[in-house]
Amino acid sequence: MLLGKYREHIRSFNPIRSLGTINRIRGVMVESLGPQMFIGEVAKVYSADGQSVLAEATGSHEQYNNLMPYEDLPMLQVGAKVKATGSALSIAVGDGLLGRVLDGLGRPYDGKGPIIGERVVSIFGTPPNAMDRSPVEEQVQTGIRAIDGLLPLGNGQRVGIFAGSGVGKSTLLGMIARNSSADVNVIALIGERGREVREFIENELGEEGLARSVLIVSTSDTPPLARVRGAYVAATVAEHFRDQGKNVMLLFDSVTRFALAQRDVGLANGELPATRGYPASVFTLLPKLLERSGRAKVGSITGVYTVLVEGDDMDEPIADAVRGYLDGHIVLTRELAEMGHFPAIDVLKSVSRLSGRLQDASQAQAAIGMRRLMASLRGVEDLVRVGAYVKGSDPLVDEALQKRESIEGYLQQGIAERATLEQTLKSLRLLFGSGHSKG
């Protein structure tokens, strides 16, 4: 294996050095005169004290390159040297990634030494051909009753978790990572607060979850391009395990911060803002990233993407665009979170577009029955609260009030509580599978 790595390095080594100099510095963008580079190529930018960081060519005009560093570089000045590497960003992949934490460039982030990879691949992968995607027909276990029973998630499906800040998205992702039936978890924390990373690993994921997971972390204080590339690294790692025939759970937190990072990159490159300040490149990259998950000829990537909705507005541009690309959406509401209802999933506002394919007849009947009871209860909630509802006015409402505690007990779940798929479906059929009034 080591000899193969040396051979690969020799094959990719370019003895000709392409050099240039920094001409101008504009915020997060560095403009260089030479060297000749292709878009996406990586270069080394040197500071006055001889240190260097990696930067990527994101655009060009006339004879100048637009370079955006992956890291902050102090003591940077006009006239400093730029050296092209001749290749785009690549990472090492292999089974040695399991249990490890990587940064947005695929480098070790956990202090456990170098990554032992089997091969080096570019992070700019392409989605599987549409004709190579096998149908989604098998339900995957998440360990969460509200999802497995009412919003079934299929092996290779893509679903979004839509919520405002502080309503339990990260906690929900941690539960899925611990309890899912997937072979491997790939978890991307893009644009998160640095404090939350270790807390997520220790409190939400735990040792058991980490052992079969790979984490890619690019915190909010990293340059915008590093956050964007962190998302690509996560997709590339997931694709590696998928190509081994494994079922991968890709947990991505969050698409919104990925879009904000790409907005900064696009605006720095001179793009014009289009929708609420987002340039067109944001809406071009979103489907390219999201389509990399799904089923392929072998293996699958089940994608769970969180979307941070600004001001709890479900129709803001990123939420609206992502909802159209995914195969379902799970909505968390602040009202339920404030009531101590966890997970704060609003079932009536959520939908799995593949539920008809994944549920058998008895499960579908029970799920529809429970939804009808919840909908009828919501319609008279204000009347019940003030004591204005008269029992017997609506048989369906009467049944909903009778089963109210059972509904809430089914939907609520402790953080450490794990519900197997068999238990979840059995409880659903037992509580709500029998016929009830069709008022």
Side-chain angles (χ1 to χ4, degrees):
M1 184 182 298
L2 291 176
L3 184 59
K5 289 173 61 180
Y6 286 121
R7 287 174 175 168
E8 179 65 28
H9 181 72
I10 292 172
R11 279 196 298 267
S12 61
F13 178 71
N14 183 5
I16 301 175
R17 295 184 177 182
S18 299
L19 300 176
T21 57
I22 294 176
N23 179 67
R24 187 167 61 163
I25 302 171
R26 297 179 290 116
V28 295
M29 186 67 68
V30 175
E31 183 181 277
S32 71
L33 179 60
Q36 184 175 354
M37 300 176 65
F38 60 83
I39 302 301
E41 183 176 351
V42 176
K44 287 186 176 182
V45 180
Y46 293 86
S47 63
D49 60 355
Q51 296 184 23
S52 68
V53 295
L54 298 178
E56 183 180 311
T58 57
S60 64
H61 66 283
E62 298 178 354
Q63 71 270 41
Y64 299 103
N65 297 318
N66 290 337
L67 303 176
M68 186 167 287
Y70 294 129
E71 301 170 280
D72 294 325
L73 180 60
M75 301 183 68
L76 188 62
Q77 62 185 14
V78 172
K81 296 297 182 183
V82 176
K83 183 172 73 173
T85 64
S87 62
L89 185 62
S90 300
I91 62 169
V93 293
D95 290 344
L97 291 172
L98 291 173
R100 298 299 303 269
V101 183
L102 314 178
D103 68 4
L105 304 184
R107 302 174 301 192
Y109 195 65
D110 51 12
K112 295 181 180 179
I115 302 293
I116 305 300
E118 299 169 3
R119 59 194 178 99
V120 176
V121 297
S122 169
I123 68 167
F124 298 100
T126 56
N129 186 290
M131 298 305 296
D132 292 336
R133 293 181 184 268
S134 54
V136 177
E137 296 176 337
E138 178 187 1
Q139 184 172 352
V140 63
Q141 173 184 294
T142 67
I144 300 170
R145 284 190 296 268
I147 297 177
D148 291 344
L150 304 173
L151 305 165
L153 182 61
N155 217 340
Q157 186 176 350
R158 297 165 303 176
V159 67
I161 298 178
F162 293 74
S165 58
V167 295
K169 296 187 301 299
S170 297
T171 304
L172 190 60
L173 285 185
M175 289 181 66
I176 295 174
R178 288 195 309 272
N179 302 328
S180 79
S181 56
D183 300 319
V184 177
N185 297 315
V186 177
I187 305 169
L189 303 179
I190 307 300
E192 292 297 306
R193 293 179 286 272
R195 173 188 60 82
E196 295 181 330
V197 174
R198 187 163 182 174
E199 290 181 1
F200 179 86
I201 295 172
E202 295 181 356
N203 301 333
E204 315 297 349
L205 192 58
E207 292 184 8
E208 179 184 355
L210 181 60
R212 61 189 184 101
S213 301
V214 184
L215 270 76
I216 294 86
V217 175
S218 187
T219 53
S220 58
D221 59 322
T222 57
L225 189 59
R227 282 174 267 152
V228 173
R229 295 300 174 245
Y232 282 67
V233 168
T236 302
V237 172
E239 287 167 344
H240 164 73
F241 289 106
R242 178 205 64 194
D243 292 342
Q244 291 183 333
K246 296 182 178 179
N247 295 322
V248 181
M249 180 72 74
L250 174 60
L251 304 171
F252 193 105
D253 189 15
S254 71
V255 175
T256 305
R257 293 193 172 105
F258 165 80
L260 290 172
Q262 178 57 35
R263 181 179 69 179
D264 293 343
V265 173
L267 294 177
N269 263 319
E271 291 187 58
L272 296 177
T275 307
R276 290 200 193 178
Y278 289 101
S281 63
V282 172
F283 301 98
T284 300
L285 288 184
L286 278 174
K288 290 183 178 180
L289 175 68
L290 300 175
E291 285 288 342
R292 291 177 70 174
S293 57
R295 293 190 64 85
K297 286 184 177 179
V298 294
S300 66
I301 301 175
T302 304
V304 180
Y305 302 88
T306 68
V307 181
L308 181 65
V309 291
E310 298 179 3
D312 296 330
D313 178 14
M314 287 293 296
D315 295 321
E316 59 92 20
I318 300 302
D320 189 52
V322 172
R323 190 165 55 243
Y325 297 131
L326 298 179
D327 306 315
H329 53 272
I330 298 171
V331 179
L332 308 185
T333 62
R334 196 170 301 279
E335 291 78 11
L336 289 174
E338 290 172 347
M339 293 167 56
H341 186 291
F342 182 84
I345 299 174
D346 191 324
V347 174
L348 296 180
K349 292 182 179 179
S350 306
V351 65
S352 170
R353 296 183 182 177
L354 300 180
S355 58
R357 184 179 301 171
L358 299 172
Q359 294 174 323
D360 60 28
S362 61
Q363 180 186 353
Q365 181 184 7
I368 293 172
M370 184 173 177
R371 279 179 172 271
R372 293 182 71 239
L373 292 176
M374 295 174 65
S376 65
L377 195 59
R378 181 168 295 184
V380 298
E381 194 170 359
D382 292 338
L383 294 176
V384 173
R385 188 177 291 114
V386 299
Y389 175 75
V390 179
K391 186 176 181 181
S393 302
D394 186 335
L396 191 60
V397 174
D398 293 341
E399 183 180 357
L401 289 172
Q402 181 183 356
K403 293 185 175 181
R404 187 171 192 169
E405 290 187 4
S406 297
I407 293 173
E408 292 180 353
Y410 183 87
L411 296 178
Q412 295 186 50
Q413 189 171 335
I415 295 174
E417 182 182 355
R418 179 180 183 179
T420 66
L421 185 59
E422 182 181 358
Q423 293 170 338
T424 294
L425 300 185
K426 182 178 180 181
S427 300
L428 180 67
R429 295 186 182 102
L430 183 64
L431 292 171
F432 309 103
S434 59
H436 39 70
S437 303
K438 302 181 183 295

